Amino acid sequence: QVQLQESGPGLVKPSQTLSLTCTVSGGSISSGGYYWSWIRQHPGKGLEWIGYIYYSGSTYYNPSLKSRVTISVDTSKNQFSLKLSSVTAADTAVYYCARVGAVAGTPFFDYWGQGTLVTVSS
Amino acid sequence: QTVVTQEPSLTVSPGGTVTLTCASSTGAVTSGYYPNWFQQKPGQAPRALIYSTSNKHSWTPARFSGSLLGGKAALTLSGVQPEDEAEYYCLLYYGGPWVFGGGTKLTVL
């Protein structure tokens, strides 16, 4: 069974860059067929899709975050990463990584990490 | 900005049936929006239930079903169990970006 695990600093200072990594086990990112996504949830609020990446490096980002987001993949480590620049308190959230597949051209989100809380504060 | 709207809260009795809906500010939701549905319980990550309108994951209980209803995506729970009390989110595809609905808090009472 595929498992995803987020890791990274739980506290980031305003104006700095938030960096998180998602480690995938039970399946290889480089085998293809899946996109690897980041989603966040502000405290007590709903979910927000941030973006995703294919193993080849193709990316798609939420237009509202696109100017500050970079998602990258390291197939040798079976990991993908999120960088969010110029953070403010509004970026305080639980960040989730998830797998996105497709069957007969129909996309689906299936496996999710447990999430990691990132607080932006000085 | 695209907005996806769900009922903020619904209440259902154990054993009853309830339908949650998901509307798009751009117009009628069709199969091309590939609606996904997720369940989230407090302190837990979301769990995928339905994809592409009506397809279930291998772990999705049979009492959950998805459909299109009156221009919206819909999630129906039949024979509701106490453990179905949770927040439910829909997710729609806009030809590039995905947008989540605001969530429906389902109370089983």
Side-chain angles (χ1 to χ4, degrees):
Chain A
Q1 176 169 329
V2 174
Q3 292 186 315
L4 295 89
Q5 178 67 59
E6 305 88 352
S7 59
L11 181 65
V12 181
K13 289 183 167 51
S15 80
Q16 293 190 342
T17 296
L18 177 160
S19 296
L20 295 174
T21 296
C22 182
T23 301
V24 179
S25 58
S28 173
I29 288 178
S30 60
S31 64
Y34 298 97
Y35 282 82
W36 304 92
S37 186
W38 288 98
I39 296 120
R40 70 180 182 179
Q41 186 169 34
H42 295 103
K45 302 296 184 183
L47 299 164
E48 179 180 30
W49 179 75
I50 297 172
Y52 51 27
I53 189 167
Y54 197 56
Y55 80 99
S56 61
S58 299
T59 53
Y60 297 87
Y61 299 137
N62 184 327
S64 68
L65 297 169
K66 187 175 181 179
S67 63
R68 297 194 293 130
V69 171
T70 302
I71 298 177
S72 58
V73 65
D74 187 338
T75 55
S76 67
K77 295 182 179 178
N78 220 33
Q79 295 174 335
F80 63 105
S81 298
L82 169 71
K83 290 189 186 298
L84 182 65
S85 64
S86 304
V87 298
T88 69
D91 295 308
T92 294
V94 174
Y95 287 77
Y96 295 100
C97 56
R99 189 180 79 165
V100 186
V103 172
T106 62
F108 58 85
F109 288 64
D110 53 6
Y111 295 104
W112 292 59
Q114 64 185 28
T116 187
L117 174 64
V118 179
T119 301
V120 178
S121 175
S122 55
Chain B
Q1 177 162 341
T2 302
V3 177
V4 177
T5 302
Q6 300 181 242
E7 297 86 1
S9 64
L10 291 170
T11 300
V12 62
S13 299
T17 296
V18 65
T19 297
L20 290 65
T21 67
C22 176
S24 172
S25 62
T26 60
V29 176
T30 65
S31 59
Y33 286 79
Y34 302 114
N36 280 244
W37 288 93
F38 304 88
Q39 177 193 66
Q40 187 179 35
K41 296 182 178 179
Q44 296 184 14
R47 181 175 75 133
L49 293 174
I50 299 288
Y51 65 95
S52 192
T53 304
S54 59
N55 294 281
K56 299 179 186 182
H57 293 280
S58 58
W59 55 79
T60 304
R63 62 184 180 275
F64 291 87
S65 62
S67 64
L68 295 176
L69 196 62
K72 301 177 183 180
L75 175 70
T76 299
L77 288 71
S78 304
V80 171
Q81 302 296 307
E83 60 265 29
D84 296 333
E85 183 162 294
E87 192 87 20
Y88 291 84
Y89 293 95
C90 67
L91 176 63
L92 300 180
Y93 179 65
Y94 287 85
W98 292 81
V99 181
F100 282 95
T104 295
K105 181 174 174 56
L106 182 66
T107 300
V108 181
L109 200 59

